[in-house]
Amino acid sequence: MPLTESLHVRSTRLAYDTVAVDYEELVREELAAKPLDRAMLGAFAEVVRAAGAGPVADAGCGPGRIAAYLAGLGLDVFGVDLSPEMIAVARRAHPGLRFEVGDMTALGSVDGALGGIVAWYSTVHTPPEALPEVLAEFRRALAPDGRLLLAFKAGDERRHLERAYGHELSLDVYWTPPDRVAAMVAAAGLEVEATLVREPDERERPRQGRQAFLMARRT
Ligand SMILES: C[S@@+](CC[C@H](N)C(=O)[O-])C[C@H]1O[C@@H](n2cnc3c(N)ncnc32)[C@H](O)[C@@H]1O
């Protein structure tokens, strides 16, 4: 663990180490009931396959369900997550895929090596002022024509959770306006291709609001 690690990184790791097993159970079948989310993943998979620019990193992969879904769509995917417990869960759930403990601000890939990066609700624990550092790392690691896909919570607030997935923890979650994220993505040197904002579904209401998905291309 780096000595200079931010507090939000440390508390996020601790929180997901605590909830890893229950979180995996809760989200295991979730995508099946989310056709618009699958549509974004499907479009991402199609353009990444067509560009043929390299493997795909699932950054903040958690239990690996998104990596597994994309692998099922023909992508060469590996997962990276801060939480060793999440990585253990992902390896058990998807033994055919590669999962490594790591921070998305230092993906460990050489410059321009990745055909795609998906960050599915994994930037939501990064304070908005620290997002440019994450996006700069994504741009560095993407190949020309490589794609970034973000899923995040649309809004403008920070919520501090002291309990989630049946456990006590301490975790900040940030809701961010899609326009602000798009501007940050553009400022990082990526071209925004699409933003989808959908209403919360039955399972997400009433606590969750709109959900946002953004795809961008490294020019
Ligand atoms: C809400 S979960 C989403 C997990 C997975 N993407 C999914 O949709 O099932 C957020 C995940 O992002 C990871 N995460 C948050 N910040 C991270 C960072 N800086 N580097 C790597 N992983 C991170 C957490 O450890 C956690 O597993």
Side-chain angles (χ1 to χ4, degrees):
M1 187 190 304
L3 285 175
T4 54
E5 187 172 81
S6 316
L7 267 181
H8 75 266
V9 169
R10 196 169 307 178
S11 56
T12 301
R13 178 191 296 109
L14 190 60
Y16 280 100
D17 273 348
T18 306
V19 304
V21 171
D22 293 305
Y23 179 87
E24 190 275 333
E25 263 181 42
L26 205 76
V27 300
R28 194 185 296 155
E29 305 297 337
E30 206 189 37
L31 264 186
K34 295 183 185 292
L36 291 170
D37 303 23
R38 292 201 311 279
M40 287 303 284
L41 288 164
F44 172 79
E46 190 176 327
V47 292
V48 168
R49 271 197 322 264
V56 171
D58 181 354
C61 62
R65 67 186 174 124
I66 301 299
Y69 186 76
L70 292 173
L73 297 179
L75 297 186
D76 172 15
V77 197
F78 65 95
V80 174
D81 200 281
L82 276 181
S83 154
E85 291 301 328
M86 274 295 194
I87 290 298
V89 167
R91 286 176 179 155
R92 277 201 300 276
H94 309 288
L97 296 179
R98 181 162 69 87
F99 296 101
E100 303 292 344
V101 175
D103 190 325
M104 65 173 112
T105 57
L107 285 173
S109 303
V110 298
D111 293 3
L114 299 179
I117 298 174
V118 58
W120 200 257
Y121 293 105
S122 53
T123 56
V124 300
H125 305 299
T126 300
E129 63 274 16
L131 271 182
E133 184 191 353
V134 173
L135 295 170
E137 171 62 357
F138 289 171
R139 185 191 185 275
R140 181 200 67 74
L142 279 174
D145 240 14
R147 285 345 198 254
L148 170 66
L149 178 62
L150 301 176
F152 58 97
K153 297 164 186 295
D156 196 1
E157 64 174 303
R158 176 182 72 96
R159 289 190 200 169
H160 180 72
L161 305 184
E162 303 226 318
R163 193 164 179 83
Y165 313 111
H167 296 268
E168 286 181 13
L169 43 69
S170 175
L171 182 65
D172 284 336
V173 188
Y174 295 89
W175 273 249
T176 318
D179 286 354
R180 197 179 300 160
V181 175
M184 283 193 268
V185 168
L190 298 163
E191 181 185 80
V192 176
E193 293 182 298
T195 306
L196 167 71
V197 180
R198 67 159 176 80
E199 297 300 320
D201 63 23
E202 269 181 22
R203 183 180 155 135
E204 290 158 347
R205 282 193 299 257
R207 293 194 65 249
Q208 306 281 332
R210 291 180 167 160
Q211 308 295 310
F213 306 85
L214 180 151
M215 189 160 77
R217 184 172 76 100
R218 159 96 144 89
T219 50

